[in-house]
Amino acid sequence: MTAELISGTEISKAILEEIKQEVNEMKDKTGKVPGLVTILVGENPASISYVTLKVRTALNLGFNEIQDNQPEDISQEDLLALIDKYNNDPEINGILVQLPLPKHIDDKKVLNAIDPDKDVDAFHPVNVGRLMIGGDEVRFLPCTPAGIQELIVRSGTETKGAEVVVVGRSNIVGKPIAMMMAQKGVGANSTVTIVHTGTQDLATHCKRADILVVAAGVPNLVKPEWIKPGSTVIDVGVNRIGKNEKTGKAILRGDVDFAKAKEIAGKITPVPGGVGPMTICMLMRNTLRSAQRSM
Ligand code: GUN
């Protein structure tokens, strides 16, 4: 059997269309559009390319987008003052500080200075706590986990009562997606296991998974024989394993041996084109929801 491909490229396009429609409705009703500021410190090439994509997506949706680039040597004090300015700007609904920050800046201090109600990355401890409580308490879901949940739901995978195994316990992906899938409600209500580098027998746990979410950052960590036939496999890994000699572009692989796994799984995400495109899409949705709440 060959698995059904879960295309993040296609699903994110559909969600961006939905967001665009909601932005147009907001503009017609209130004359306002969501406001997002992206703060980029320094000239890290990967960060520049991520921020450029975020800015372009926001502009395409009709958002009020401010790209605030700051020099590498900005002081922590000045950066905190900048965040304070945007915290108090009623036109701004979402504040994103691109990571990593230069070494002389304490990134925890910076992220914790963002108003939790404008924290569209959902990295602030208040939003992490709200996620843990669940239900009406939640303001923003962290973007990559929210994208993963959308892929699971929109692929038609049943989550209620499903065995979900999450490989990896990072604050950005593993821990939040595990908590989200365990909550009561639609697209969740699953039985969740988190496995990590301290787990004795990864294979045994993975083999039980109706939904396997792999966010370990280790290419080909998950072997085909660990996959339960017919299961849904979400590969969050983006590993650069080399360079294409002709194009000069990085060759990307996930954490799952895709070529073999697709013969066993029921549904599977590719790398690239799976989870990746969903993250920016969820950032845009968080900004829209923040604007809707503020009105
Ligand atoms: N750097 C890499 N990924 C992210 C992200 O999702 N948000 C922010 N703010 N910085 C990042």
Side-chain angles (χ1 to χ4, degrees):
M1 190 186 92
T2 298
E4 182 187 314
L5 211 61
I6 306 174
S7 169
T9 307
E10 292 303 317
I11 293 173
S12 65
K13 262 189 212 159
I15 295 174
L16 288 174
E17 270 312 306
E18 293 165 16
I19 295 172
K20 201 170 197 172
Q21 217 162 341
E22 285 191 62
V23 173
N24 288 338
E25 283 165 19
M26 175 184 281
K27 197 171 179 181
D28 288 346
K29 271 191 205 150
T30 68
K32 291 190 173 180
V33 295
L36 173 69
V37 61
T38 48
I39 301 174
L40 171 65
V41 179
E43 292 175 5
N44 176 322
S47 293
I48 292 174
S49 93
Y50 283 132
V51 166
T52 304
L53 200 54
K54 288 170 188 177
V55 169
R56 197 185 304 150
T57 308
L59 291 174
N60 275 339
L61 293 172
F63 285 14
N64 169 25
E65 160 67 42
I66 298 175
Q67 185 176 1
D68 194 333
N69 292 354
Q70 294 294 327
E72 179 87 17
D73 62 356
I74 186 175
S75 69
Q76 180 165 295
E77 197 186 357
D78 286 352
L79 186 56
L80 291 173
L82 192 65
I83 289 169
D84 190 50
K85 181 183 89 167
Y86 291 120
N87 280 342
N88 291 299
D89 183 342
E91 298 299 313
I92 293 298
N93 309 108
I95 301 171
L96 180 134
V97 178
Q98 187 66 26
L99 301 176
L101 288 168
K103 286 203 171 59
H104 67 278
I105 293 176
D106 179 349
D107 51 7
K108 245 190 218 165
K109 232 180 196 155
V110 170
L111 295 179
N112 292 0
I114 297 172
D115 178 347
D117 290 343
K118 296 188 179 188
D119 170 38
V120 283
D121 261 328
F123 290 164
H124 194 290
V126 166
N127 284 319
V128 177
R130 286 168 170 168
L131 173 71
M132 184 99 168
I133 295 165
D136 291 347
E137 200 68 33
V138 178
R139 299 288 194 287
F140 303 112
L141 292 172
C143 301
T144 301
I148 293 169
Q149 193 174 34
E150 281 290 342
L151 291 178
I152 293 169
V153 170
R154 291 190 188 226
S155 69
T157 301
E158 177 61 80
T159 60
K160 184 169 175 244
E163 290 284 340
V164 173
V165 175
V166 177
V167 184
R169 56 181 158 185
S170 69
N171 287 328
I172 291 182
V173 183
K175 281 193 259 183
I177 188 63
M179 187 49 61
M180 285 159 63
M181 297 308 293
Q183 300 285 12
K184 269 190 184 166
V186 179
N189 231 350
S190 308
T191 303
V192 181
T193 306
I194 306 181
V195 299
H196 45 71
T197 47
T199 300
Q200 290 195 359
D201 185 355
L202 281 181
T204 301
H205 291 287
C206 292
K207 281 178 190 172
R208 282 190 299 104
D210 301 310
I211 301 171
L212 182 62
V213 179
V214 192
V218 180
N220 290 347
L221 173 73
V222 172
K223 310 294 175 239
E225 60 272 22
W226 298 7
I227 291 168
K228 182 174 173 180
S231 62
T232 292
V233 176
I234 308 289
D235 190 349
V236 193
V238 183
N239 305 294
R240 287 167 172 78
I241 59 153
K243 223 184 209 182
N244 182 314
E245 291 300 331
K246 276 187 192 156
T247 62
K249 278 191 179 168
I251 301 170
L252 301 179
R253 287 282 184 283
D255 291 350
V256 177
D257 182 346
F258 178 80
K260 292 185 186 140
K262 76 175 185 345
E263 301 304 321
I264 301 161
K267 303 170 200 270
I268 189 167
T269 58
V271 177
V275 175
M278 297 298 292
T279 301
I280 290 185
C281 185
M282 294 296 108
L283 175 72
M284 299 302 143
R285 196 168 71 181
N286 279 348
T287 308
L288 170 67
R289 295 284 175 258
S290 179
Q292 288 167 332
R293 258 195 306 271
S294 80
M295 280 165 199

mmCIF file of all heavy atoms in Angstrom, residues 50 54 96-100 121 123 279, ligand 1:
data_model
loop_
_atom_site.group_PDB
_atom_site.id
_atom_site.type_symbol
_atom_site.label_atom_id
_atom_site.label_comp_id
_atom_site.label_asym_id
_atom_site.label_seq_id
_atom_site.Cartn_x
_atom_site.Cartn_y
_atom_site.Cartn_z
ATOM 1 N N TYR A 50 13.464 33.670 6.689
ATOM 2 C CA TYR A 50 12.196 33.372 7.385
ATOM 3 C C TYR A 50 11.343 34.632 7.508
ATOM 4 O O TYR A 50 10.138 34.619 7.236
ATOM 5 C CB TYR A 50 12.457 32.840 8.798
ATOM 6 C CG TYR A 50 12.906 31.389 8.861
ATOM 7 C CD1 TYR A 50 14.001 31.020 9.640
ATOM 8 C CD2 TYR A 50 12.236 30.388 8.167
ATOM 9 C CE1 TYR A 50 14.421 29.700 9.721
ATOM 10 C CE2 TYR A 50 12.652 29.065 8.243
ATOM 11 C CZ TYR A 50 13.746 28.730 9.022
ATOM 12 O OH TYR A 50 14.158 27.435 9.096
ATOM 13 N N LYS A 54 7.582 35.648 6.102
ATOM 14 C CA LYS A 54 6.488 36.043 7.010
ATOM 15 C C LYS A 54 5.901 37.381 6.564
ATOM 16 O O LYS A 54 4.680 37.553 6.500
ATOM 17 C CB LYS A 54 7.005 36.150 8.457
ATOM 18 C CG LYS A 54 7.296 34.795 9.087
ATOM 19 C CD LYS A 54 8.025 34.901 10.419
ATOM 20 C CE LYS A 54 8.463 33.505 10.887
ATOM 21 N NZ LYS A 54 9.236 33.497 12.136
ATOM 22 N N LEU A 96 6.298 39.729 16.790
ATOM 23 C CA LEU A 96 7.170 38.577 16.604
ATOM 24 C C LEU A 96 8.626 39.020 16.633
ATOM 25 O O LEU A 96 9.018 39.873 15.848
ATOM 26 C CB LEU A 96 6.853 37.893 15.270
ATOM 27 C CG LEU A 96 7.737 36.677 15.013
ATOM 28 C CD1 LEU A 96 6.905 35.517 14.527
ATOM 29 C CD2 LEU A 96 8.849 36.972 14.034
ATOM 30 N N VAL A 97 9.381 38.474 17.570
ATOM 31 C CA VAL A 97 10.826 38.726 17.605
ATOM 32 C C VAL A 97 11.495 37.472 17.059
ATOM 33 O O VAL A 97 11.392 36.394 17.650
ATOM 34 C CB VAL A 97 11.316 39.013 19.043
ATOM 35 C CG1 VAL A 97 12.829 39.228 19.055
ATOM 36 C CG2 VAL A 97 10.604 40.226 19.625
ATOM 37 N N GLN A 98 12.151 37.624 15.905
ATOM 38 C CA GLN A 98 12.766 36.455 15.266
ATOM 39 C C GLN A 98 13.944 35.949 16.099
ATOM 40 O O GLN A 98 14.792 36.735 16.529
ATOM 41 C CB GLN A 98 13.222 36.822 13.842
ATOM 42 C CG GLN A 98 13.732 35.645 13.030
ATOM 43 C CD GLN A 98 12.659 34.609 12.697
ATOM 44 O OE1 GLN A 98 11.466 34.916 12.627
ATOM 45 N NE2 GLN A 98 13.066 33.372 12.511
ATOM 46 N N LEU A 99 13.989 34.657 16.320
ATOM 47 C CA LEU A 99 15.085 34.009 17.056
ATOM 48 C C LEU A 99 16.007 33.312 16.052
ATOM 49 O O LEU A 99 15.555 32.923 14.985
ATOM 50 C CB LEU A 99 14.513 32.994 18.045
ATOM 51 C CG LEU A 99 13.549 33.562 19.095
ATOM 52 C CD1 LEU A 99 12.979 32.429 19.933
ATOM 53 C CD2 LEU A 99 14.237 34.581 19.980
ATOM 54 N N PRO A 100 17.283 33.134 16.320
ATOM 55 C CA PRO A 100 17.977 33.490 17.568
ATOM 56 C C PRO A 100 18.327 34.974 17.629
ATOM 57 O O PRO A 100 18.451 35.632 16.593
ATOM 58 C CB PRO A 100 19.241 32.635 17.479
ATOM 59 C CG PRO A 100 19.501 32.468 16.005
ATOM 60 C CD PRO A 100 18.157 32.447 15.359
ATOM 61 N N ASP A 121 3.578 34.116 18.654
ATOM 62 C CA ASP A 121 4.399 32.891 18.645
ATOM 63 C C ASP A 121 3.948 31.928 19.756
ATOM 64 O O ASP A 121 4.288 30.748 19.728
ATOM 65 C CB ASP A 121 5.873 33.247 18.912
ATOM 66 C CG ASP A 121 6.716 33.329 17.643
ATOM 67 O OD1 ASP A 121 6.421 32.594 16.688
ATOM 68 O OD2 ASP A 121 7.671 34.126 17.631
ATOM 69 N N PHE A 123 5.091 31.925 22.825
ATOM 70 C CA PHE A 123 6.275 31.490 23.570
ATOM 71 C C PHE A 123 6.270 32.007 25.022
ATOM 72 O O PHE A 123 7.054 31.555 25.844
ATOM 73 C CB PHE A 123 7.571 32.000 22.896
ATOM 74 C CG PHE A 123 7.905 31.338 21.579
ATOM 75 C CD1 PHE A 123 8.829 31.917 20.711
ATOM 76 C CD2 PHE A 123 7.326 30.120 21.207
ATOM 77 C CE1 PHE A 123 9.178 31.311 19.506
ATOM 78 C CE2 PHE A 123 7.660 29.515 19.995
ATOM 79 C CZ PHE A 123 8.585 30.108 19.142
ATOM 80 N N THR A 279 3.549 26.473 9.510
ATOM 81 C CA THR A 279 3.936 27.296 10.662
ATOM 82 C C THR A 279 3.612 28.782 10.431
ATOM 83 O O THR A 279 2.988 29.435 11.271
ATOM 84 C CB THR A 279 5.442 27.087 10.969
ATOM 85 O OG1 THR A 279 5.637 25.702 11.246
ATOM 86 C CG2 THR A 279 5.897 27.896 12.155
HETATM 87 N N1 GUN B 1 13.209 31.219 14.644
HETATM 88 C C1 GUN B 1 13.003 30.011 14.081
HETATM 89 N N2 GUN B 1 11.699 29.656 14.186
HETATM 90 C C2 GUN B 1 11.067 30.664 14.825
HETATM 91 C C3 GUN B 1 9.723 30.888 15.198
HETATM 92 O O1 GUN B 1 8.815 30.083 14.994
HETATM 93 N N3 GUN B 1 9.470 32.081 15.812
HETATM 94 C C4 GUN B 1 10.439 32.973 16.087
HETATM 95 N N4 GUN B 1 10.098 34.096 16.716
HETATM 96 N N5 GUN B 1 11.707 32.797 15.754
HETATM 97 C C5 GUN B 1 12.011 31.647 15.116
#
